[in-house]
Amino acid sequence: IDVRRLRSEFDVVTSALARRGEDLAPLERVRELDERQRAVAAERDAVRAQIKELARQVGELRRDGRQ
């Protein structure tokens, strides 16, 4: 099952699997882990942006002769 489909149509997928008698606990776990991974990725991107800005500031200071 594609994670993107789980994100967009979770209820549809779980309903279909429930009709087949499948255990839905693993899908709930996948959904939780996917949300956690997306949150961590957003945090990572924010930290990278901060690092990039600090590196830019350091470069400016060095270029201006101030260390």
Side-chain angles (χ1 to χ4, degrees):
I1 298 172
D2 185 33
V3 173
R4 292 173 292 201
R5 184 159 187 206
L6 277 177
R7 275 186 217 133
S8 64
E9 301 176 1
F10 187 79
D11 294 334
V12 173
V13 172
T14 55
S15 295
L17 291 174
R19 282 193 303 272
R20 293 183 191 176
E22 298 289 333
D23 181 17
L24 302 179
L27 288 181
E28 289 289 342
R29 181 72 174 142
V30 168
R31 184 166 136 174
E32 292 169 8
L33 291 172
D34 180 55
E35 289 174 2
R36 184 172 160 200
Q37 185 272 332
R38 290 169 65 92
V40 169
E43 185 179 342
R44 177 205 60 213
D45 292 344
V47 169
R48 283 183 176 170
Q50 289 176 336
I51 290 169
K52 185 176 178 180
E53 175 59 23
L54 289 172
R56 185 192 64 76
Q57 291 175 5
V58 167
E60 282 182 10
L61 289 171
R62 286 190 176 178
R63 187 178 57 239
D64 294 342
R66 296 177 280 161
Q67 293 181 337

